[in-house]
Amino acid sequence: MIFGSHVSIRDGYLGAAKRAVANGASAFQYFPKNPRSLSVKDFDRGDANSCKSFCFERNMVSVAHTPYSTSLTPSKDKQELTIASLVNDLEIADACGSIGVVVHFGSQISKTDPLASYHLMLEMLNSVLSDWNGDCLLLIENNAGTKGALGTTFEELVQIRNLCDYPEKIGFCLDTCHAFASGLWNGENTEEFFKKGEELAYFDHLKIIHLNNSKYPTGSKKDRHANIFGNGYIKESQMEMFVKSPLLEEIPFVLETPDDEGISHKEEIRQLFDKWGE
Ligand SMILES: [Zn+2]
């Protein structure tokens, strides 16, 4: 099993990888640049290369996450900026040897034209990926359903990838809190959930799991992550059935849980290995 967490890059990319090792992780996620800005970062290639070799030697998997304000359905004035930012994220992640860059599915932009958001997403994806020839994939993450409930079903995720001009450059990131909050996975339908995803070939392109519990019940559409073995609404037995699915055997699980609510990521990663490591 591959377990890890989101880590800070305050000591650079190599520093982030070292922090993950110190936490006992075998995978990690990081922001390739300031998560509060979409501006293009002139990054330190030497540091990124050191991160890449360090991870390669230790079999450590890494993945980048786009800044908070990145949207695949941005307003007109933000489109150029977003495309440049996404290409920049891919360049940094590729230099660090990461498997991909996680980006959230878009949100609803028109109440009268339900297809407008999907059209814009495809335009954005095509613009970003037309010039991208690195190994790093763009990994589309399922939504919790907060803004217009877009990107909450397997059908949409699979279809957006298929309709893009460059499906081979796209993979998926599955967030367990978002899946639970949206109702895609309600804790009780685990078998059907995996069966449906498998039928639609979703799991063929799944590259990473965001392993999070949920502070709100299933169907709440609220994106609030909780610690795995704390007071979240996903029961341990439900989480176990999910994590132990044979379909996820090779997939890295990365925590995006609170690090300051009674348990550190280091301790939480140890719990994961103790319970489900074999
Ligand atoms: Zn997530």
Side-chain angles (χ1 to χ4, degrees), residues 65 104 141 175 178 210 212 225 256:
H65 196 296
H104 294 169
E141 178 172 354
D175 188 305
H178 300 180
H210 282 169
N212 301 309
H225 302 180
E256 291 180 319

Side-chain angles (χ1 to χ4, degrees), residues 6 29 141 173-180 185 209-215 223-229 232 234 239 242 253-258 265 268:
H6 189 97
Q29 176 176 273
E141 178 172 354
C173 165
L174 178 65
D175 188 305
T176 51
C177 170
H178 300 180
F180 187 77
W185 174 53
I209 309 267
H210 282 169
L211 190 65
N212 301 309
N213 208 320
S214 172
K215 288 191 176 172
D223 182 5
R224 294 288 308 281
H225 302 180
N227 291 109
I228 305 302
F229 306 107
I234 306 173
M239 202 60 112
F242 182 99
F253 291 84
V254 171
L255 297 166
E256 291 180 319
T257 50
H265 276 154
E268 206 169 12

